[in-house]
Amino acid sequence: MYGSLPRLCRGRVGVGASLASTDSQPMNAPAETFKSRAHDKLNDAKVQRAMRNFNLAGARARGIADLDNFEDIRTAAAAIRDRSLASLDLWLARFEQEATRRGTKVHWAETHADINRIVIEIARATRVKKIIKSKSMVSEESHLNDALEAEGFQVVETDLGEYIVQLAGEKPSHIIAPAIHKSRDDVADLFVQHHKTPRKTDIGELTMEARKFLREHFLSGEMGISGGNFLIAETGSLMLVTNEGNGRMTTTLPRVHVAITGIEKVLPTLEDASCILRLLTRSATGQSISNYVTLNTGPKQPGDLDGPEEMHVIIVDAGRTRLLGTDMQEALRCIRCGACMNHCPVYQNIGGHAYGWVYPGPIGSVLTPNYIGLENAIDLPNAATLCNQCGVVCPVKIPLPDLMRKLREKQVDRGLRPWQERLGLKLWAWVAKRPGIYALATRIAARLGRSMGGADRVIHRLPGNGWTEGRDMPAPAGKTFRELYAERKR
Amino acid sequence: MSARESIVARIRAARAALPAMDETERAAIEGRIALHPIGTRPAMDWQLVPRFREQCVRMSSSVDDVASMAEVPRAIARFLADMKLPMRAVVWPEIAQLDWNGTGVTVEARAARGDDLVGITGTYLAVAETGTLMLLSSPSTPAATSLLPETHIAVVPQGRIVKAMEEAWALTRSERVELPRAVNFVSGPSRTADIEGQLQLGAHGPYRVHVVVVAE
């Protein structure tokens, strides 16, 4: 049904030899192997070091402290997002009408395959060869770079983090800090290999070297592909929120600009965008505003010295309408700030690649099963302690733990849990319905448990699973509650 | 059925949309757009100009003050000399019209190029809340002048500083028929923290942004 799904199960395709990597796993294995990947990442010293260095949570806390009424703004922002979703088709039609009037060509993509097809058609029709990209997570969903390279187009990611992961032949591990899993030494090695320059390890020098090489690409790129933080229905504008300036370059210098974004990203008015912006940048990096907030409304006007001759916006469904009108709809409020992953104890320990698809962390654990199928991401809704840190920090009040719990229920309802678990629960239900057998079984278990504890009355090792690998379990007292209760009564 | 039609059909089915309600809903949409209400915002009980200055510095811009437009060229010449920057700049036409004679600075009003080192622009409005410049693209105010050079200098008349982005939209609506191709909000130099989370200024855009506030 969804065009790119088979790709999830294949190896990376269509990547030029110069960009191929030998030692790193790209993130397009199915999300169902989460457990083994999480295990690998926990034992990967590099990932562990990178995750320890990573602290956007502190920056967010300082940014939020700036606002005297964060909770009120948060409520308002959630209401703005809900308003868009409540009449989504009509807001999109309003956006399309105004964007078209201003000369933007609006395309609709039902599937991931549609996105790639539309971009390739535009690239062919406009005879471009070199394509520069600023960040687009939707294009990661559709493996757009692979599709373009397979058709012979040169694609250069220009966000520094995206550029680094592209050179490494990998995928982003965080939605706003794509190369957070890479150390400066990794980057230094990649630059020596690809730029053929003397090795530098100073982060400032590495950034400057990337600037120099990417500047050449900006000046020679013929098509710019961007994502879109928001679509403004009022004015038919595309809003981009960036820090590096590559988003501005990508939408100013090449002669064709193609923006790709999801149907859910439409906002009614400029004021609504301003309200949400106060929370987006603070929640992401703690900044009161990012360095560049850009609204693009149509192509170059008569007499303009810069700007693209053509502007296209691709509005993408690819699974999103399946959440609308369901108990999962709140996930579509997401404004992609990354706060949920920055505060998630699971993400903090395993990094983004373990999640196996485009969106990591709690929001990924909700979106991935919905977009690619619950059966293809069986572990993700369970990859959380439900501590609700994500729910507390989400700027648009997505009840992430509730949504993960609902997905767990759906897994059970659809019989997707492993047979051992299903059998175990059935057995337990059978026993629990029979008080005599239940009493006997618990008496045996309590005594067995007691005998497993040593002199310190602690169980250090349980057979059959890894639960006791990192912790001990207090041994039961040897008698069940019902026995003790009966004794007290006497 | 086109992709557009199927997506719209799926959205309508999901939200149980009734054709009978469409007119009412559309009217509500046009109503919200016409009213464009300002949402919940933080308290803004500060003074415009000091707040703007302070937030510019917070976003790593530098700020200079001059009494009049006539003083701008000399103030910029001084800044370039102090920073040991080239005395040559690509500028917007309105900046070229200032009297640069005797300042030692050569200004060229043209499209910016990849190797321009200094770009000087005016500003449409400036936002006090965040220390932000609001630049509108047009034939005489090209977007790349504030983007390609390593140093961006912006001239900000004090009277064009507004409270927040919402006030900027209100003024734009009253002064312009519609939005230009590009509205760029610029808050300090370009930055990245993509290598080990360490902040670096000057990723792709300018390394430094210098704001000259003009009092009159």
Side-chain angles (χ1 to χ4, degrees):
Chain A
M1 181 158 76
Y2 287 87
S4 74
L5 271 187
R7 291 216 144 172
L8 284 173
C9 311
R10 293 210 301 266
R12 195 175 165 80
V13 291
V15 179
S18 65
L19 293 179
S21 147
T22 48
D23 59 348
S24 306
Q25 241 350 78
M27 197 183 71
N28 51 4
E32 57 186 326
T33 57
F34 171 83
K35 256 188 191 169
S36 63
R37 264 196 311 268
H39 190 260
D40 293 348
K41 298 298 173 192
L42 283 171
N43 290 312
D44 183 330
K46 262 190 192 170
V47 171
Q48 290 305 310
R49 203 164 42 240
M51 295 319 294
R52 270 199 302 280
N53 285 336
F54 180 63
N55 181 13
L56 282 173
R60 174 200 170 270
R62 288 187 293 278
I64 295 299
D66 230 29
L67 302 171
D68 56 317
N69 55 348
F70 170 66
E71 280 306 322
D72 296 341
I73 302 179
R74 207 172 157 238
T75 306
I80 289 171
R81 296 297 295 125
D82 283 346
R83 181 174 292 110
S84 296
L85 296 173
S87 308
L88 189 57
D89 52 320
L90 299 180
W91 285 114
L92 286 170
R94 183 60 166 75
F95 166 80
E96 183 182 40
Q97 175 196 325
E98 197 55 21
T100 307
R101 191 181 71 75
R102 294 298 307 272
T104 300
K105 177 92 177 66
V106 178
H107 308 258
W108 299 69
E110 276 194 89
T111 64
H112 290 129
D114 284 351
I115 302 172
N116 298 353
R117 178 182 50 76
I118 293 167
V119 176
I120 289 167
E121 278 169 13
I122 299 169
R124 283 200 189 122
T126 52
R127 296 171 187 285
V128 304
K129 288 193 182 71
K130 185 187 228 175
I131 299 172
I132 56 174
K133 277 184 76 200
S134 74
K135 268 190 76 64
S136 159
M137 294 312 290
V138 183
S139 77
E140 298 285 346
E141 290 181 32
S142 73
H143 300 273
L144 176 63
N145 292 6
D146 294 348
L148 286 169
E149 282 165 357
E151 293 294 322
F153 297 103
Q154 185 189 353
V155 186
V156 183
E157 292 285 353
T158 63
D159 173 274
L160 178 56
E162 294 277 352
Y163 178 64
I164 292 166
V165 295
Q166 188 189 27
L167 291 182
E170 295 178 17
K171 295 281 176 184
S173 65
H174 187 286
I175 61 171
I176 64 160
I180 199 62
H181 59 289
K182 291 276 180 215
S183 69
R184 74 183 78 187
D185 284 322
D186 296 335
V187 178
D189 292 343
L190 284 167
F191 283 8
V192 169
Q193 185 192 343
H194 294 275
H195 296 162
K196 317 279 180 228
T197 48
R199 195 170 196 281
K200 307 171 182 65
T201 47
D202 178 74
I203 291 177
E205 286 177 21
L206 289 167
T207 306
M208 236 194 282
E209 178 167 321
R211 175 188 173 103
K212 190 171 137 249
F213 276 79
L214 284 166
R215 180 57 71 99
E216 291 308 311
H217 291 304
F218 285 127
L219 296 171
S220 55
E222 299 160 288
M223 173 189 275
I225 295 178
S226 73
N229 290 83
F230 301 109
L231 302 171
I232 314 292
E234 175 188 0
T235 55
S237 310
L238 171 83
M239 183 180 256
L240 288 176
V241 181
T242 68
N243 274 319
E244 294 186 0
N246 64 316
R248 285 186 68 189
M249 299 271 185
T250 305
T251 60
T252 306
L253 303 176
R255 58 186 166 84
V256 184
H257 170 209
V258 181
I260 308 170
T261 197
I263 51 169
E264 80 281 17
K265 292 299 186 71
V266 68
L267 289 179
T269 64
L270 296 167
E271 278 75 4
D272 289 333
S274 306
C275 177
I276 290 205
L277 204 53
R278 283 193 185 91
L279 299 187
L280 171 59
T281 56
R282 283 185 175 84
S283 301
T285 57
Q287 290 169 284
S288 53
I289 189 168
S290 66
N291 294 92
Y292 302 113
V293 176
T294 304
L295 271 99
N296 290 117
T297 314
K300 197 175 191 169
Q301 298 297 303
D304 274 356
L305 300 180
D306 44 35
E309 285 150 26
E310 289 184 24
M311 178 172 173
H312 300 260
V313 173
I314 305 176
I315 302 177
V316 179
D317 180 351
R320 285 157 176 80
T321 46
R322 271 188 277 165
L323 282 74
L324 267 184
T326 72
D327 55 359
M328 292 286 136
Q329 175 166 316
E330 286 153 314
L332 292 176
R333 286 183 194 153
C334 179
I335 56 173
R336 304 287 190 269
C337 67
C340 60
M341 53 202 81
N342 298 341
H343 290 78
C344 175
V346 177
Y347 178 92
Q348 291 297 308
N349 277 290
I350 60 177
H353 283 163
Y355 291 81
W357 204 57
V358 181
Y359 305 102
I363 189 66
S365 293
V366 171
L367 291 182
T368 305
N370 278 296
Y371 286 0
I372 73 170
L374 196 53
E375 64 282 3
N376 294 319
I378 202 78
D379 288 327
L380 291 187
N382 303 287
T385 62
L386 302 185
C387 71
N388 197 31
Q389 271 294 301
C390 51
V392 170
V393 297
C394 176
V396 287
K397 289 190 163 178
I398 302 172
L400 287 156
D402 290 349
L403 298 184
M404 284 187 270
R405 200 179 294 116
K406 284 176 192 166
L407 286 167
R408 293 180 187 185
E409 286 167 14
K410 285 178 213 283
Q411 289 183 339
V412 174
D413 290 347
R414 287 178 48 190
L416 293 172
R417 300 300 309 159
W419 67 267
Q420 299 94 326
E421 186 181 310
R422 278 183 288 146
L423 182 69
L425 283 173
K426 265 198 193 124
L427 266 171
W428 185 83
W430 188 87
V431 173
K433 278 188 280 188
R434 289 160 180 80
I437 301 176
Y438 186 87
L440 180 68
T442 49
R443 282 173 73 173
I444 296 171
R447 282 164 179 77
L448 194 67
R450 184 184 185 187
S451 72
M452 283 169 72
D456 53 357
R457 304 187 67 181
V458 166
I459 301 175
H460 297 286
R461 216 180 132 60
L462 276 172
N465 67 38
W467 200 88
T468 42
E469 264 172 36
R471 64 209 132 173
D472 294 330
M473 188 169 122
K479 281 184 181 168
T480 67
F481 174 77
R482 291 186 355 166
E483 287 175 277
L484 292 172
Y485 190 76
E487 279 172 21
R488 287 275 162 86
K489 242 172 119 183
R490 240 186 283 132
Chain B
M1 213 162 37
S2 73
R4 184 195 194 282
E5 286 161 350
S6 356
I7 293 173
V8 167
R10 274 202 293 275
I11 296 173
R12 292 183 66 83
R15 69 183 188 90
L18 301 171
M21 286 296 292
D22 282 3
E23 272 323 299
T24 320
E25 262 188 83
R26 250 186 231 116
I29 281 174
E30 290 308 321
R32 181 154 184 96
I33 287 175
L35 281 176
H36 47 78
I38 293 179
T40 309
R41 350 189 249 186
M44 296 182 187
D45 46 3
W46 25 255
Q47 296 214 301
L48 280 190
V49 181
R51 168 79 181 193
F52 175 68
R53 253 196 228 106
E54 165 201 311
Q55 292 298 310
C56 278
V57 172
R58 188 177 168 193
M59 295 304 288
S60 310
S61 298
S62 51
V63 186
D64 195 2
D65 295 282
V66 298
S68 68
M69 282 305 272
E71 289 180 28
V72 167
R74 254 173 303 147
I76 290 178
R78 217 164 35 236
F79 170 76
L80 292 175
D82 286 351
M83 300 297 292
K84 299 192 170 49
L85 292 167
M87 302 296 271
R88 171 180 293 273
V90 58
V91 303
W92 283 1
E94 66 181 73
I95 300 295
Q97 280 158 19
L98 300 173
D99 184 10
W100 293 89
N101 280 327
T103 59
V105 181
T106 311
V107 296
E108 294 169 52
R110 54 166 171 78
R113 295 189 295 252
D115 56 355
D116 282 319
L117 294 175
V118 179
I120 309 177
T121 72
T123 186
Y124 174 60
L125 291 170
V127 178
E129 183 190 1
T130 46
T132 300
L133 308 166
M134 181 189 190
L135 311 173
L136 307 187
S137 72
S138 80
S140 61
T141 57
T145 316
S146 60
L147 179 64
L148 288 171
E150 290 183 359
T151 301
H152 171 209
I153 301 174
V155 179
V156 179
Q158 203 171 288
R160 299 300 288 177
I161 301 175
V162 297
K163 209 176 189 182
M165 209 179 255
E166 288 89 344
E167 280 74 11
W169 296 132
L171 208 53
T172 310
R173 286 195 191 95
S174 70
E175 294 180 351
R176 303 275 166 141
V177 183
E178 56 188 18
L179 292 183
R181 178 193 76 78
V183 179
N184 280 300
F185 290 96
V186 175
S187 312
S190 144
R191 68 183 64 198
T192 184
D194 272 351
I195 305 177
E196 293 189 0
Q198 198 185 96
L199 185 68
Q200 296 294 325
L201 297 183
H204 296 301
Y207 285 95
R208 57 185 80 75
V209 174
H210 181 63
V211 179
V212 182
V213 180
V214 185
E216 69 161 41

